Amino acid sequence: MPANIPVLKRYIGRIFRIAKEESEEDTKQEILSEVSFKGATLWLLVFTMILTCVGLNMNSIYALIGAMLMSPLMAPVIGLGFAIATNDWPMVKRCARNWLVGFVISLLASTLYFSITPFNEPTEVMTSFTGGTIYDVLIAFFGGLAGFIGLSRVKGMKVMAGVAVATACMPPLSTAGYGIANFQWSHIWGGSYFYIINCVFIGLAVMLLAKYMRYKKVQPFSERPVTARIVYAIAFISFLPAAYFAWQLVQEKHTTGNIERFIKENLVTGDLSVLKKDIQVKSASPKAEVYITGHRLTEEEETALRKKWNSYRLTGIDLVIHETADLENLENDPVLLRQFTISQEKKLNKQDSIIATLSSRLDSISKVVNQLH
């Protein structure tokens, strides 16, 4: 049995080995062909950035996906990772210069758009790109690995298109442009940070994979030391805020889950039903507003509810209960009125079912009584 171990190792090695389907020079030229932002590529960047801004402005996922598929923004990032892995100093300078050009052009285009658009309210999709977390780091890192594998293959463009969508480099920059145009610091910082961690971890993934695949060094490290330690240090520093944001996200999800559980276990009982709930755990004054219908809560019932509220580890979050027992309180809120109507219909259906069941039982009892007489 031990004699078969080397054979098994070779077999597993052949399965998992990442082979180069094209020459190293072809891979390098393929990367360099997309790196420079000038002429048609520059205008493509501008147009896709405007398309991204429209997508964020209108909450249109389709526009965002289309823009990310066409955007050339990721090429210099992949080029930087490859150049550092192969110690190609001229390529490093070229990719870094074009990365900066792409960054500035994208910010200018998005800032100009949001300066003239009449729709200046941040949308839900836009807000989602203001806080990169560890999960976004993982998407960028594994997206970078997949992207470079795609580049090393003869027909890898489908992979690159998918990576462009998954890593989402365009929307964060558009969000930062919105922040500049509207003087929203949280959007400037959040969007820029989201974009930077994408770039750092895509580049890191490409660098590590190119080293693993043993691409030849252009020149010895002793002559022009493009050290990977700088990349590791930048990756570590940029990772720290992402880890903190991920911890915050977990805490928010946990708190929201506790609130939902409290509502389900304590306010959806008997003849009480919830018409609407507004949970805000990220605001400066976190609170949960719940609109209920049914019988009027007594002072003792409300006191008991608030005691239970703290037992769900929700201390520091305000519980606001709105009672809407009659239609007059619902006139100014169509959503509440609709939910109230649905609630009353459910009650009537339940009562009709009870009445039908009781009538059936009464008929059965009447028949038995008649037979006895």
Side-chain angles (χ1 to χ4, degrees):
M1 189 69 179
N4 293 328
I5 292 178
V7 177
L8 181 62
K9 284 183 177 179
R10 286 197 298 271
Y11 176 72
I12 294 175
R14 283 198 300 270
I15 292 176
F16 289 98
R17 183 170 61 91
I18 304 174
K20 306 169 188 172
E21 290 188 8
E22 60 183 12
S23 69
E24 296 188 9
E25 185 60 28
D26 286 343
T27 300
K28 178 180 176 180
Q29 293 305 319
E30 188 177 353
I31 295 172
L32 287 174
S33 66
E34 301 293 332
V35 161
S36 298
F37 292 119
K38 58 183 180 181
T41 308
L42 177 62
W43 284 108
L44 178 62
L45 177 63
V46 173
F47 295 152
T48 53
M49 178 51 70
I50 297 298
L51 182 58
T52 303
C53 294
V54 174
L56 289 179
N57 220 184
M58 298 291 105
N59 257 347
S60 173
I61 300 298
Y62 303 108
L64 292 178
I65 291 174
M68 289 185 287
L69 283 171
M70 295 183 288
S71 170
L73 199 59
M74 201 170 61
V77 179
I78 291 177
L80 267 172
F82 181 81
I84 292 172
T86 57
N87 199 36
D88 190 336
W89 185 247
M91 187 175 177
V92 168
K93 291 192 292 184
R94 181 177 173 182
C95 291
R97 182 172 61 251
N98 281 283
W99 177 85
L100 184 60
V101 169
F103 179 77
V104 173
I105 293 296
S106 298
L107 274 183
L108 288 175
S110 57
T111 302
L112 177 62
Y113 172 84
F114 285 113
S115 297
I116 61 178
T117 181
F119 305 104
N120 285 323
E121 291 300 319
T123 60
E124 183 182 351
V125 177
M126 186 185 296
T127 304
S128 68
F129 290 104
T130 58
T133 68
I134 188 174
Y135 306 109
D136 300 299
V137 166
L138 292 174
I139 291 172
F141 183 77
F142 288 101
L145 293 177
F148 189 68
I149 288 176
L151 278 171
S152 66
R153 295 168 62 187
V154 176
K155 296 179 180 179
M157 292 312 295
K158 289 182 180 179
V159 176
M160 287 303 298
V163 171
V165 174
T167 53
C169 286
M170 297 290 283
L173 272 183
S174 179
T175 300
Y178 169 85
I180 296 172
N182 294 279
F183 305 103
Q184 296 285 337
W185 170 248
S186 61
H187 286 76
I188 298 173
W189 151 249
S192 299
Y193 174 70
F194 201 121
Y195 173 67
I196 288 170
I197 61 170
N198 267 351
C199 293
V200 168
F201 285 93
I202 290 170
L204 176 65
V206 171
M207 184 192 77
L208 292 176
L209 190 55
K211 284 177 175 288
Y212 172 77
M213 294 174 71
R214 297 181 179 178
Y215 277 83
K216 290 183 294 186
K217 304 292 185 293
V218 173
Q219 52 188 324
F221 281 103
S222 57
E223 294 181 16
R224 183 68 74 172
V226 184
T227 177
R229 293 179 184 176
I230 298 174
V231 179
Y232 298 144
I234 293 173
F236 177 74
I237 293 169
S238 62
F239 176 80
L240 295 178
Y244 173 71
F245 290 143
W247 178 82
Q248 275 191 324
L249 181 63
V250 170
Q251 295 302 310
E252 289 166 10
K253 294 288 185 184
H254 181 68
T255 301
T256 303
N258 284 346
I259 294 173
E260 295 281 3
R261 190 161 56 88
F262 170 85
I263 293 172
K264 183 178 179 181
E265 294 175 359
N266 299 279
L267 294 177
V268 189
T269 57
D271 64 341
L272 282 179
S273 58
V274 176
L275 300 179
K276 180 182 173 183
K277 53 194 173 184
D278 183 13
I279 301 172
Q280 301 175 16
V281 297
K282 292 180 70 175
S283 62
S285 302
K287 65 179 178 179
E289 291 188 77
V290 186
Y291 296 80
I292 63 172
T293 186
H295 71 270
R296 292 283 187 182
L297 293 177
T298 64
E299 188 175 339
E300 291 77 13
E301 286 176 324
E302 190 164 346
T303 301
L305 282 173
R306 296 192 181 281
K307 285 183 179 178
K308 286 184 179 180
W309 177 258
N310 293 329
S311 70
Y312 283 75
R313 298 181 180 179
L314 296 171
T315 305
I317 299 175
D318 291 333
L319 171 63
V320 182
I321 298 176
H322 300 281
E323 297 185 64
T324 52
D326 50 50
L327 288 172
E328 292 179 2
N329 297 330
L330 307 174
E331 292 177 350
N332 297 324
D333 195 327
V335 175
L336 278 178
L337 182 59
R338 185 172 64 253
Q339 292 299 323
F340 180 81
T341 305
I342 293 171
S343 173
Q344 293 303 104
E345 287 177 354
K346 287 181 179 178
K347 281 186 180 180
L348 289 173
N349 291 335
K350 186 177 180 181
Q351 289 172 356
D352 289 342
S353 177
I354 293 172
I355 291 171
T357 302
L358 292 175
S359 296
S360 177
R361 289 180 181 177
L362 184 59
D363 289 341
S364 300
I365 293 171
S366 297
K367 288 178 181 178
V368 172
V369 170
N370 290 334
Q371 289 175 357
L372 290 174
H373 287 293

